[in-house]
């Protein structure tokens, strides 16, 4: 049986032409009940469209884990490892995740206090807000008027030792309703975006690459990012930029000697561009907050050197330079017209291609607004595949 796919409802702010292939709602399918034939269609659709939505789903924690694992049957542990935080409570992830005892690969996330939830007698949840992480904040007066920001654009990945998950699933169990908010970029552009309360916002990594000018495409296709050891601990004292797209260079990162024990062999050096396993497309997949160094290969023999950046290759270790280059490449793709902010309903089940999209939490809840979601992603059995020799020749 062929699955029925319908486009996701795009906000008026979206560029419908550029997002024509991004995201689909899957009709009449329960993600908790998959035949091999049906799963194959779902898998093809996910890698083509990046985000899939199942409305009115009823999915247990065990079923969510099983569905997530089906995309990478050899994967097993939660994407950030069993302790999730780089072996320390200093990690910026520590307050955001509560493990479901019976299915430790599934995390409870949300806001407020949840009682008697799948073996958790009392879980105090805190919706991540830009006010705890950004260098500057929306004023309390503007926040009361409904102004907010993106929290942190990212890929779900430990970025140390473990491989980035192929997919992430999110299941909305308790979803509070409220007035829409205005997400401000506050970067001098005047950009802002109306968003549903507590949305998860998505952008396409393929569009992020496709819209780059030729000289930045050439840089991207030749480059790899080296991430910091225990990056979520390393970045914890630092502040994010107002767009949530990376860290301000203030020298506040935790010194490497103060991090939990780490090994050189477990550092992650990953291509900037990750190849889609089904479509062959290239997705710009960088977690800018954890990036520490940039390694650039020289132009291939015979390539046009005019206007090329680092034509002879480079190893960039200056954090400000690394962050500036990544920001210039990633910022165009989070323009309001290219963002899909999902309007959550209870029993929404969303799966996204974690190696093909970036996402962020947006907005803030009052302490008494209870929100409960189940999240699952699994450290992958393989590393992402970068550009082929043919890709490098085509874009360098």
């Amino acid at each position: 049986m062929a699955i029925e796919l319908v486009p996701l409802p795009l906000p008026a702010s979206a560029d419908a032409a550029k997002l024509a292939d991004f995201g689909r709602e899957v009709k009449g399918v329960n993600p908790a009940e998959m035949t091999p034939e049906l799963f194959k269609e779902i898998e093809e659709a996910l890698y083509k469209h990046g985000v899939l939505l199942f409305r009115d789903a009823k999915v247990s924690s065990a079923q969510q884990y099983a569905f997530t694992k089906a995309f990478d049957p050899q994967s097993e542990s939660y994407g950030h490892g069993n302790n999730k935080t780089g072996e320390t409570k200093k990690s910026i992830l520590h307050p955001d995740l509560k493990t479901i005892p019976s299915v430790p690969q599934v995390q409870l996330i949300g806001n407020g206090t949840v009682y008697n939830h799948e073996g958790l007698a009392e879980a105090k949840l805190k919706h991540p807000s830009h006010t705890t992480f950004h260098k500057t904040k929306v004023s309390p007066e503007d926040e009361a008027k409904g102004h907010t920001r993106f929290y942190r654009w990212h890929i779900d990945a430990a970025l140390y030792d473990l491989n980035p998950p192929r997919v992430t699933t999110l299941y909305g169990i308790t979803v509070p309703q409220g007035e829409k908010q205005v997400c401000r970029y506050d970067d001098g552009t005047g950009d802002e975006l109306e968003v549903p309360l507590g949305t998860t916002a998505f952008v396409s990594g393929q569009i992020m690459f496709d819209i780059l000018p030729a000289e930045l495409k050439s840089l991207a296709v030749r480059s790899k990012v080296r991430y910091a050891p225990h990056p979520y601990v390393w970045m914890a004292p630092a502040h994010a930029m107002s767009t949530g797209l990376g860290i301000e260079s203030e020298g506040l990162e935790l010194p490497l000697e103060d991090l939990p024990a780490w090994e050189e062999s477990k550092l992650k050096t990953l291509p900037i561009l990750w190849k889609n396993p089904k479509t062959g497309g290239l997705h710009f997949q960088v977690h800018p907050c954890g990036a520490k160094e940039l390694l650039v290969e020289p132009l291939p023999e015979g390539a046009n050197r005019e206007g090329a950046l680092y034509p002879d290759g480079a190893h960039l270790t200056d954090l400000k330079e690394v962050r500036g280059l990544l920001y210039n490449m990633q910022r165009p793709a989070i323009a309001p017209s290219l963002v899909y902010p999902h309007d959550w309903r209870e029993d929404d089940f969303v799966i996204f291609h974690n190696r093909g999209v970036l996402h962020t939490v947006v907005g803030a809840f009052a302490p008494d607004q209870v929100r409960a979601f189940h999240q699952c992603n699994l450290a992958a059995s393989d590393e992402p595949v970068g550009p082929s020799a043919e890709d490098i020749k085509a874009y360098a």
Side-chain angles (χ1 to χ4, degrees):
M1 129 182 153
I3 60 175
E4 182 185 356
L5 300 173
V6 298
L8 295 175
L10 297 176
S13 54
D15 183 331
K18 281 198 169 66
L19 294 178
D21 280 335
F22 186 76
R24 290 293 185 269
E25 180 182 348
V26 184
K27 293 279 195 178
V29 173
N30 182 355
E33 299 172 0
M34 284 282 145
T35 64
E37 296 76 20
L38 191 56
F39 177 79
K40 187 176 180 182
E41 291 188 63
I42 296 292
E43 185 180 41
E44 294 281 345
L46 178 68
Y47 286 121
K48 180 178 180 181
H49 300 293
V51 178
L52 298 181
L53 164 66
F54 302 79
R55 295 274 195 205
D56 301 316
K58 297 292 184 184
V59 185
S60 70
S61 296
Q63 289 166 333
Q64 182 171 357
Y65 166 52
F67 181 64
T68 308
K69 185 179 173 68
F71 288 84
D72 186 2
Q74 292 178 285
S75 63
E76 181 59 37
S77 69
Y78 181 62
H80 290 275
N82 289 336
N83 56 39
K84 308 182 291 293
T85 59
E87 299 176 2
T88 173
K89 292 184 178 182
K90 294 180 181 178
S91 164
I92 58 171
L93 296 181
H94 179 73
D96 303 341
L97 304 163
K98 308 293 182 190
T99 298
I100 300 297
S102 61
V103 189
Q105 296 84 355
V106 175
Q107 311 303 317
L108 174 65
I109 60 175
N111 191 73
T113 304
V114 177
Y115 297 97
N116 300 317
H117 184 88
E118 299 201 22
L120 295 169
E122 179 181 276
K124 294 182 178 179
L125 307 175
K126 189 173 182 181
H127 185 77
S129 164
H130 85 276
T131 59
T132 64
F133 189 49
H134 287 203
K135 181 179 180 181
T136 61
K137 304 174 186 178
V138 171
S139 70
E141 294 79 16
D142 284 351
E143 197 168 19
K145 295 175 186 174
H147 292 263
T148 191
R149 285 187 186 166
F150 300 121
Y151 174 56
R152 179 176 66 244
W153 287 101
H154 65 285
I155 305 159
D156 287 337
L159 303 174
Y160 174 78
D161 191 20
L162 302 172
N163 291 325
R166 294 182 186 177
V167 303
T168 291
T169 54
L170 291 170
Y171 180 39
I173 299 166
T174 303
V175 181
Q177 298 302 307
E179 296 295 320
K180 289 189 173 183
Q181 296 183 307
V182 174
C183 179
R184 299 194 329 215
Y185 289 58
D186 286 340
D187 62 348
T189 63
D191 279 352
E192 57 183 36
L193 175 68
E194 186 179 69
V195 295
L197 177 67
T199 185
T200 307
F202 297 93
V203 293
S204 164
Q206 182 163 337
I207 292 174
M208 188 175 282
F209 176 62
D210 287 347
I211 64 177
L212 289 178
E215 68 275 11
L216 292 181
K217 278 193 170 89
S218 171
L219 180 62
V221 82
R222 293 184 286 124
S223 297
K224 292 182 178 180
V225 173
R226 178 165 293 156
Y227 290 96
H230 300 295
Y232 299 98
V233 182
W234 173 75
M235 72 174 80
H239 300 125
M241 303 180 77
S242 61
T243 54
L245 191 67
I247 302 285
E248 297 275 5
S249 295
E250 304 173 281
L252 298 178
E253 297 78 18
L254 204 64
L256 297 188
E257 59 270 20
D258 293 341
L259 293 174
W262 57 275
E263 300 172 28
E264 192 83 24
S265 63
K266 293 183 178 180
L267 296 180
K268 283 297 177 184
T269 302
L270 300 173
I272 278 183
L273 303 178
W274 298 0
K275 200 169 185 68
N276 188 305
K278 297 294 184 182
T279 70
L282 295 173
H283 300 251
F284 196 116
Q285 294 297 113
V286 172
H287 192 321
C289 292
K292 189 172 183 294
E293 301 174 17
L294 205 58
L295 293 85
V296 185
E297 290 292 322
L299 287 171
E301 190 174 345
N304 182 8
R305 297 173 67 88
E306 186 176 351
L309 299 170
Y310 309 103
D312 299 314
H315 181 186
L316 307 179
T317 58
D318 181 85
L319 264 179
K320 191 170 185 179
E321 183 179 12
V322 169
R323 287 169 173 164
L325 283 168
L326 291 173
Y327 191 84
N328 288 340
M329 290 192 275
Q330 292 187 287
R331 173 60 176 87
I334 68 163
S337 62
L338 299 178
V339 176
Y340 170 68
H342 184 60
D343 193 355
W344 285 99
R345 302 179 195 167
E346 289 190 0
D347 292 325
D348 275 1
F349 186 93
V350 169
I351 180 168
F352 58 89
H353 177 205
N354 186 55
R355 294 182 171 193
V357 306
L358 274 75
H359 68 287
T360 179
V361 166
V362 189
F365 291 102
D368 62 347
Q369 287 180 299
V370 176
R371 185 184 205 239
F373 278 50
H374 282 176
Q375 179 217 58
C376 183
N377 57 63
L378 303 172
S381 59
D382 57 1
E383 285 198 343
V385 174
S388 65
E390 291 76 17
D391 294 325
I392 295 172
K393 187 176 180 181
Y395 292 106

